[in-house]
Amino acid sequence: MASDEGTVRVDSWIWSVRLTKTRSMAATACRGGHVRVNGERVKAAHGVRPGDEVRLRHAGRERIVVVSRLVSKRVGAAVAAECFVDNSPPPPPREEIIAVPQRDRGTGRPTKRDRREMEQLRGR
């Protein structure tokens, strides 16, 4: 499971330690500029070493982790937790997450007045 090499691809490592659900999601995050290693945006093929700081914006949250162990294959959750040190800020409490109002089914398309009220609620 542990890699004998000095580096592992960043997209592979993010997927291996279960920060993203799939490797393609990790590669897409790298392509979109959502992954930084030691403060620099990186491509999916960039290598990570123990001691590197990886910042990942995923699912509306920023994860800040420090690589402590290299793995190239996906590992179990218990082993994955040992491969990095999580320095991420805690997620916001559920009460602070603003609920988006939902329209009732069958009410049809919103009128211009309804749309303006919805935008006002969203703060736009």
Side-chain angles (χ1 to χ4, degrees), residues 55-74:
R55 290 176 177 258
L56 168 70
R57 276 187 302 154
H58 178 67
R61 183 173 171 212
E62 183 171 25
R63 301 287 306 264
I64 303 168
V65 297
V66 177
V67 179
S68 60
R69 188 171 138 201
L70 297 179
V71 289
S72 56
K73 302 269 186 193
R74 192 158 171 104

Side-chain angles (χ1 to χ4, degrees), residues 27-103:
T28 303
C30 291
R31 215 173 307 119
H34 301 291
V35 177
R36 293 176 179 264
V37 175
N38 298 327
E40 296 182 19
R41 286 184 181 174
V42 294
K43 293 184 178 183
H46 187 274
V48 291
R49 295 181 172 92
D52 285 350
E53 179 188 67
V54 178
R55 290 176 177 258
L56 168 70
R57 276 187 302 154
H58 178 67
R61 183 173 171 212
E62 183 171 25
R63 301 287 306 264
I64 303 168
V65 297
V66 177
V67 179
S68 60
R69 188 171 138 201
L70 297 179
V71 289
S72 56
K73 302 269 186 193
R74 192 158 171 104
V75 293
V79 177
E82 298 171 358
C83 294
F84 62 88
V85 178
D86 196 358
N87 295 333
S88 304
R94 289 185 175 230
E95 295 82 34
E96 290 184 14
I97 299 174
I98 299 172
V100 178
Q102 298 288 325
R103 291 180 51 84

